[in-house]
Amino acid sequence: MQGCPFCRVAEGTAPARLVFADDEIVAFHDIAPRAPVHVLVIPRRHIVSLAHASPGDRDLLGRLLAAAAEAARQTGVAATGYRVVANSGAEGGQTVSHFHLHVLGGRPMSWPPG
Ligand code: AMP
Ligand code: ZN
């Protein structure tokens, strides 16, 4: 989608520090990390948010979650623990309108989130 920063990462037209990528998913380091490890996992296809995912996206959503676990393994936080977050919509705190999972680790997480 034109003007979408994560579509540009997926297309390779914007720089990103990749963790891994395949034909439908890209995992890359957040540009403003909120934890020692902060990776974003996105579908290459532009889906606005979790609320915009359709029943036909269920398998992809499962693969995105598995990719989040893989990102945690590859960045070395799987053993100590990590958090996976999907902010959805304005009150969910979403600022980039292309669905993404945050993988946060490398420090203890507090609860509830702000
Ligand atoms: P959210 O607020 O849940 O929509 O998360 C958006 C995240 O994307 C924030 O943590 C930003 O720091 C991050 N971000 C925005 N633009 C980029 C970019 N070009 N490369 C990497 N991370 C980005
Ligand atoms: Zn997009």
Side-chain angles (χ1 to χ4, degrees):
M1 190 199 180
Q2 201 150 17
C4 172
F6 289 178
C7 281
R8 294 183 63 209
V9 167
E11 293 158 7
T13 54
R17 285 177 55 219
L18 287 191
V19 178
F20 60 80
D22 65 19
D23 58 339
E24 63 177 356
I25 293 172
V26 183
F28 55 101
H29 291 276
D30 196 290
I31 202 169
R34 300 302 184 111
V37 168
H38 188 173
V39 174
L40 301 175
V41 178
I42 66 167
R44 287 188 183 275
R45 182 161 58 83
H46 186 86
I47 299 171
V48 171
S49 77
L50 190 57
H52 293 75
S54 66
D57 294 324
R58 283 178 183 167
D59 287 353
L60 173 61
L61 290 172
R63 289 193 288 276
L64 285 160
L65 205 52
E70 178 61 20
R73 282 190 288 274
Q74 291 198 19
T75 54
V77 296
T80 46
Y82 56 93
R83 181 170 291 174
V84 178
V85 173
N87 297 326
S88 185
E91 289 203 0
Q94 184 175 10
T95 59
V96 175
S97 298
H98 180 133
F99 176 74
H100 49 283
L101 295 174
H102 296 259
V103 181
L104 298 143
R107 64 167 171 82
M109 299 290 151
S110 60
W111 192 263

